[in-house]
Amino acid sequence: MAAVDAGSRSVHAQGKLDAAYVVSLGGVPIGKGSWSIDVQDDQFTATASGATSGLLRVFASGQGNSAAHGSVSAGQPIASTYASSIVADNRSDQVRMFFSGGAVKEYLADPPTLPSPDRVPLTEANRKGVLDPMTASLIRVAGNGDTFVPEACQRTLPVFDGRMRYDLQLVFKHLDKVKSEKGYQGTVVVCSVYFTPVAGHIPERSTIKYLVAERDMELWLAPIAGTRLMVPYRASIPTPVGLGVLQANQFVSIPRPPVPTASNLKIQ
């Protein structure tokens, strides 16, 4: 059974989330996906998958999945591996990354990014102190009190996706309430999101210019019960053809029981 306002208390350091999302553009459903997160005391796993649906399948079809795995230190997930695979209209895009000490030690992007004299070059420094796109979405709120606080948003996420290095700046906007069709109902923290490209991009591309100029992107964060992690419940971005929205219609999270150890087992 899903917790209500689970972020207002935290008695475990472990939890699980099973979520399902619907993607819409201008109010028309165009895709759906799922997200599963398992956080234990010393490790975590997060997997996501999605596909186009509805009218969009008439014009294009696509599906993808991604996964991150790593350790947990003081409640903060730290990735050791990340992988993503996207197939759309018979074209494939694959990314694999291996992390150590907060830096990308090895990565593969297939097909390779096309060389261009206009592209801002990626350097080794751009791959240090970074997060993969999945782990960047697992946002830990420091302390031991309420997680529905402005500090959930007040941060800059340094992301490397295997092709581009960029920053996502989150700024607190307000609190809101949500009610899932299944699972979580309660408070969410609403953040404004600002995109800043760092390297691997072509500055004059229209998409890059649009994202940099956009001031109305939002991220709504909801808690994983049993942890101090907040994760996206809803994300939205205005587009020239309507508002693009990814929103959970299922968000079931439960505390994970502590794993028995020799120190907490009683000998009968």
Side-chain angles (χ1 to χ4, degrees), residues 5 146-153 172-178 186-191 220-221 230:
D5 276 0
D146 202 336
T147 58
F148 304 116
V149 292
E151 288 75 18
C153 294
F172 176 73
K173 197 168 184 180
H174 58 83
L175 299 180
D176 211 318
K177 294 284 187 178
V178 297
T187 305
V188 291
V189 183
V190 181
C191 315
W220 296 27
L221 300 175
M230 304 285 279

Side-chain angles (χ1 to χ4, degrees), residues 195-252:
F195 171 83
T196 302
V198 176
H201 64 293
I202 297 177
E204 293 305 309
R205 281 211 171 142
S206 58
T207 302
I208 296 295
K209 286 184 172 182
Y210 183 85
L211 290 173
V212 169
E214 182 53 59
R215 304 286 91 182
D216 293 317
M217 291 187 288
E218 287 186 352
L219 192 63
W220 296 27
L221 300 175
I224 299 179
T227 77
R228 295 192 62 79
L229 296 176
M230 304 285 279
V231 298
Y233 181 92
R234 170 187 164 109
S236 64
I237 176 173
T239 79
V241 293
L243 185 66
V245 177
L246 177 148
Q247 180 160 327
N249 57 4
Q250 171 184 312
F251 197 92
V252 179

Side-chain angles (χ1 to χ4, degrees), residues 60-218:
S61 62
Q63 58 184 358
N65 56 74
S66 59
H69 176 77
S71 60
V72 175
S73 177
Q76 177 65 57
I78 301 171
S80 57
T81 63
Y82 168 81
S84 73
S85 174
I86 300 172
V87 178
D89 290 335
N90 299 318
R91 293 192 300 271
S92 174
D93 184 287
Q94 310 283 332
V95 170
R96 301 285 186 273
M97 293 193 285
F98 299 90
F99 291 82
S100 179
V104 179
K105 293 302 183 183
E106 185 180 343
Y107 75 102
L108 169 69
D110 184 27
T113 301
L114 293 175
S116 169
D118 301 323
R119 191 180 303 281
V120 178
L122 275 167
T123 67
E124 185 176 349
N126 296 140
R127 299 192 294 272
K128 293 181 178 179
V130 296
L131 302 167
D132 66 84
M134 179 79 77
T135 309
S137 301
L138 310 180
I139 296 173
R140 183 179 184 275
V141 182
N144 54 17
D146 202 336
T147 58
F148 304 116
V149 292
E151 288 75 18
C153 294
Q154 304 296 110
R155 66 192 69 215
T156 297
L157 303 171
V159 182
F160 178 62
D161 63 8
R163 298 186 183 275
M164 187 167 70
R165 166 72 176 85
Y166 55 91
D167 286 338
L168 295 178
Q169 181 187 7
L170 307 187
V171 177
F172 176 73
K173 197 168 184 180
H174 58 83
L175 299 180
D176 211 318
K177 294 284 187 178
V178 297
K179 185 176 181 180
S180 306
E181 294 177 17
K182 181 179 180 181
Y184 186 72
Q185 45 185 295
T187 305
V188 291
V189 183
V190 181
C191 315
S192 294
V193 182
Y194 305 107
F195 171 83
T196 302
V198 176
H201 64 293
I202 297 177
E204 293 305 309
R205 281 211 171 142
S206 58
T207 302
I208 296 295
K209 286 184 172 182
Y210 183 85
L211 290 173
V212 169
E214 182 53 59
R215 304 286 91 182
D216 293 317
M217 291 187 288
E218 287 186 352

Side-chain angles (χ1 to χ4, degrees), residues 27-92:
V28 178
I30 60 170
K32 58 185 178 180
S34 63
W35 197 14
S36 177
I37 303 170
D38 187 357
V39 181
Q40 302 181 36
D41 271 338
D42 59 352
Q43 63 180 318
F44 82 97
T45 300
T47 59
S49 63
T52 54
S53 65
L55 288 175
L56 189 63
R57 293 185 68 91
V58 175
F59 304 101
S61 62
Q63 58 184 358
N65 56 74
S66 59
H69 176 77
S71 60
V72 175
S73 177
Q76 177 65 57
I78 301 171
S80 57
T81 63
Y82 168 81
S84 73
S85 174
I86 300 172
V87 178
D89 290 335
N90 299 318
R91 293 192 300 271
S92 174

